[in-house]
Amino acid sequence: MAVCVATAFPPVEPCKSCQENEYPSPMKDKCLKKMVVLLQWYDGFAIVLAVFDLTGIIITLLIGVLFARHLNTPVVKGAGGNLCFLTLLSLLASFSSIWMFIGKPTQLTCQIGLPLFGISFALCVSCILANLFQIFVGFSFDVMINENLKKLNKPVLIVMVCTGVQVSLCVLWLTLDPPTANENTDKEITILLECTTGSKEAFGAVLLYIAVLAIICFLFAFKGKHLPDLYKNAKFITISMLIYLSVWILFIPVYINTSGEYLGAIKGAAILVSNYSILCCHFGPKCYIIIFKKKINVENVIVEYIRKHYENKGIQAVTSKT
């Protein structure tokens, strides 16, 4: 907003207006340049985000190596087998999106950051959902239900459809009203360089869709609590989905009531917690079993565990080595 300042004191000439990137001095005798503010790489908050982000990327890569070396073990097969690597790849993409919220925003970084997280995390949750559905079908003993569910038990198709919906939402977002780099000159003495979200409805739809996938995962995990779960998959997936939902429920009021250079950092922090919830709750226990509990990571143990589980319930389970 242009502000009038006197060019002499006492004023003998008409006053002149300050430009949008200027503000009047305390004496109202000249215009001063506004200070440009943004989340710099050397800011303490940005450093913390970068450290945790880089740590998450390294952990994700190490898990990928560990799973590749133990691909044919029951714990990796139970987590989805090859689908695990797609889940880890999506987490890497999600971690990478955080770099877009630090430093000087550009049109490119603004339009990559949130959509990249939306698509990558939807892919991650879709992989977990496909794995849970596969487990649920595998242990369903109702013949009619089992036959119907088997027709839908196509993990790759489930992942493609679930992720495709999110991709479509993000394409509409980027086409109709995308995030943009903006110079906010409304502040009195500063200019804030920021990324606007563009369409708030589209941003909300992207987050809501992931929440729907997370709720479905939660319901499948909760429904599967009666299954023979030696590795506690359902329990830990339930926890990770609850963490995700809790984080983004808390994020909404904080996001609405926060302004300034730390708004991007808040987005990054929410994404970090979401990613770490998957790493710690979904992959962490499996890594622990692979490294420290090798005796239960063999097929004979899991087959015997399943047999005893159903015998205790009075069900004759037929298990065979495949």
Side-chain angles (χ1 to χ4, degrees):
M1 180 183 294
V3 179
C4 188
V5 299
T7 57
F9 186 80
V12 292
E13 300 178 11
C15 64
K16 72 171 185 176
S17 295
C18 295
Q19 301 299 315
E20 285 191 345
N21 63 344
E22 298 175 332
Y23 68 97
S25 67
M27 298 298 295
K28 306 294 183 182
D29 59 342
K30 60 181 178 179
C31 293
L32 303 175
K33 289 288 185 182
K34 290 184 177 181
M35 181 176 65
V36 176
V37 296
L38 67 153
L39 184 62
Q40 300 281 8
W41 284 96
Y42 54 76
D43 186 280
F45 206 157
I47 292 173
V48 171
L49 280 180
V51 169
F52 276 98
D53 191 46
L54 187 58
T55 302
I57 290 173
I58 293 172
I59 292 173
T60 304
L61 291 172
L62 291 175
I63 292 174
V65 172
L66 184 66
F67 273 44
R69 294 186 61 183
H70 298 83
L71 182 60
N72 295 318
T73 60
V75 70
V76 177
K77 289 180 179 178
N82 289 324
L83 210 58
C84 292
F85 300 107
L86 187 56
T87 310
L88 291 168
L89 185 63
S90 66
L91 283 177
L92 284 176
S94 185
F95 275 118
S96 299
S97 69
I98 294 174
W99 301 110
M100 307 300 163
F101 304 123
I102 306 174
K104 184 179 180 179
T106 65
Q107 289 294 104
L108 183 62
T109 57
C110 289
Q111 292 183 11
I112 287 177
L114 288 174
L116 178 59
F117 163 73
I119 294 172
S120 59
F121 205 78
L123 174 59
C124 176
V125 179
S126 298
C127 291
I128 295 174
L129 176 59
N131 176 233
L132 285 173
F133 187 77
Q134 195 172 28
I135 293 172
F136 183 77
V137 172
F139 285 102
S140 175
F141 286 95
D142 189 312
V143 177
M144 292 300 296
I145 294 178
N146 192 264
E147 287 301 318
N148 292 326
L149 289 178
K150 276 185 177 179
K151 297 176 183 178
L152 300 174
N153 186 24
K154 302 181 186 299
V156 175
L157 182 62
I158 291 173
V159 171
M160 289 178 62
V161 171
C162 292
T163 308
V165 173
Q166 185 73 306
V167 171
S168 300
L169 289 174
C170 287
V171 169
L172 285 174
W173 182 12
L174 293 173
T175 302
L176 300 177
D177 190 6
T180 57
N182 179 55
E183 290 187 1
N184 187 343
T185 58
D186 293 340
K187 303 293 182 180
E188 186 177 350
I189 62 173
T190 61
I191 297 175
L192 174 64
L193 301 185
E194 62 180 355
C195 285
T196 65
T197 57
S199 172
K200 290 181 173 58
E201 292 78 10
F203 178 43
V206 166
L207 293 182
L208 181 62
Y209 180 69
I210 301 177
V212 170
L213 291 179
I215 291 171
I216 296 173
C217 279
F218 172 81
L219 293 176
F220 266 108
F222 186 78
K223 182 73 174 175
K225 66 179 181 179
H226 66 281
L227 299 177
D229 194 3
L230 176 62
Y231 304 133
K232 310 299 181 187
N233 287 329
K235 175 182 177 181
F236 289 114
I237 289 174
T238 301
I239 294 172
S240 65
M241 294 301 107
L242 283 176
I243 291 174
Y244 169 79
L245 292 171
S246 300
V247 166
W248 287 96
I249 288 173
L250 291 173
F251 166 82
I252 293 172
V254 173
Y255 179 79
I256 292 173
N257 293 292
T258 301
S259 61
E261 64 268 33
Y262 291 111
L263 190 58
I266 291 173
K267 298 175 189 174
I271 293 172
L272 271 180
V273 176
S274 301
N275 292 346
Y276 272 101
S277 71
I278 301 295
L279 281 181
C280 295
C281 296
H282 185 57
F283 289 104
K286 297 169 180 59
C287 293
Y288 177 78
I289 291 171
I290 291 172
I291 298 171
F292 300 107
K293 295 287 186 178
K294 297 179 181 179
K295 290 182 179 180
I296 65 172
N297 190 24
V298 291
E299 191 167 343
N300 290 338
V301 173
I302 186 64
V303 168
E304 183 64 16
Y305 180 84
I306 293 171
R307 186 184 65 79
K308 288 184 177 180
H309 173 86
Y310 284 110
E311 282 184 356
N312 291 336
K313 291 179 175 291
I315 300 174
Q316 186 64 38
V318 178
T319 55
S320 61
K321 189 171 181 177
T322 58

